[in-house]
Amino acid sequence: MGLAEITERIAKAEASAGRDAGSVTLIAVSKVQPDARVEAVLGEGHRVFGENRVQEAAGKWPDFRERFDGIDLHLIGPLQTNKARTAFELFQSIHSLDRPKLANTFARLAQETGACPELFVQVNTGEEPQKAGVLPADADSFIEDCRALDLPIRGLMCIPPLEEEPSLHFALLAKIAARNGLAGLSMGMSGDFERAIALGATHVRVGSAIFGERTQG
Ligand SMILES: *Cc1c(COP(=O)(O)O)cnc(C)c1O
């Protein structure tokens, strides 16, 4: 696989869903990948990347940014409140807004810095106890609270349970987004991004299918 093949498959999935070419953003998930692989994808001209740990991202992206222009970095993993400030400095988008305490911290940082990354509210569509995200039943009120704090909510994000058909979860996420007037849908990974695009994904998060299998994490 690799970047070119994934880009082509995304274009095909957009076309067969009757969606505009380029309506889906490919987030290349570079977590725990060797720098050389990430650099190769940067060298091919790709600029949108995803990381799931603030610390790891802080260790590698400032260097890449010195050498490549226009990098658009997305945080797709859970965020501790005490790392929110660093996350604000590093990331253009955060996909893991999932609790009031974090929303309040973001609102305070946005006030203080005069800027805020684009935000996605993570929804725990499978209601898995070990997984982050607001429960589907709590999503509407949480989104409302975030808006009351003036946070720039771009859309919703989900990670479907491993053992279930992801399409059901993508459809549920799309429904919650639609009734809240949210345009962004961050859903779909290496194994299911075409199904996510068919159900309206605007951001797909693809790691191993671009970079190869991860050796850890
Ligand atoms: C690692 C990760 C991905 C990418 O997974 P692949 O199966 O390698 O495409 C997508 N989303 C999140 C939240 C992840 O942590």
Side-chain angles (χ1 to χ4, degrees):
M1 294 200 239
L3 180 69
E5 183 191 326
I6 298 304
T7 305
E8 193 183 313
R9 283 171 58 188
I10 289 173
K12 281 196 183 128
E14 287 171 337
S16 52
R19 300 182 52 191
D20 289 345
S23 56
V24 176
T25 298
L26 170 60
I27 301 173
V29 178
S30 48
K31 64 183 184 198
V32 308
Q33 295 289 352
D35 283 355
R37 285 191 193 163
V38 180
E39 201 163 329
V41 171
L42 280 160
E44 288 180 80
H46 196 73
R47 289 296 180 268
V48 188
F49 291 84
E51 289 284 344
N52 71 339
R53 286 165 165 274
V54 174
Q55 222 53 39
E56 185 188 338
K60 64 194 201 201
W61 284 98
D63 281 349
F64 285 136
R65 280 206 159 110
E66 283 190 7
R67 290 188 293 131
F68 297 91
D69 285 333
I71 288 170
D72 179 12
L73 208 54
H74 295 243
L75 178 65
I76 61 171
L79 178 60
Q80 292 169 266
T81 328
N82 64 4
K83 299 217 173 84
R85 184 180 294 275
T86 313
F88 258 53
E89 288 163 4
L90 268 175
F91 294 96
Q92 283 62 60
S93 298
I94 296 176
H95 295 233
S96 48
L97 173 53
D98 65 350
R99 58 195 191 277
K101 190 177 173 205
L102 197 55
N104 287 323
T105 303
F106 283 177
R108 190 167 40 74
L109 285 169
Q111 275 270 316
E112 184 190 315
T113 63
C116 186
E118 286 200 322
L119 302 173
F120 291 77
V121 169
Q122 184 171 352
V123 182
N124 186 357
T125 56
E127 307 190 25
E128 297 172 280
Q130 82 286 6
K131 206 167 261 178
V134 297
L135 294 173
D138 299 334
D140 295 0
S141 66
F142 183 63
I143 292 162
E144 194 181 324
D145 292 347
C146 290
R147 284 176 160 155
L149 289 168
D150 272 336
L151 292 176
I153 306 296
R154 171 79 186 272
L156 304 180
M157 178 270 224
C158 76
I159 308 170
L162 272 178
E163 307 299 326
E164 290 180 28
E165 167 53 46
S167 293
L168 302 174
H169 297 271
F170 299 154
L172 173 60
L173 197 72
K175 189 171 134 189
I176 299 171
R179 73 172 179 241
N180 284 284
L182 290 170
L185 283 171
S186 167
M187 56 190 199
M189 319 200 323
S190 290
D192 55 22
F193 66 88
E194 283 137 325
R195 277 172 285 176
I197 291 170
L199 289 163
T202 58
H203 294 70
V204 293
R205 312 177 307 263
V206 181
S208 44
I210 294 175
F211 295 103
E213 289 303 324
R214 288 179 292 273
T215 50
Q216 39 156 316

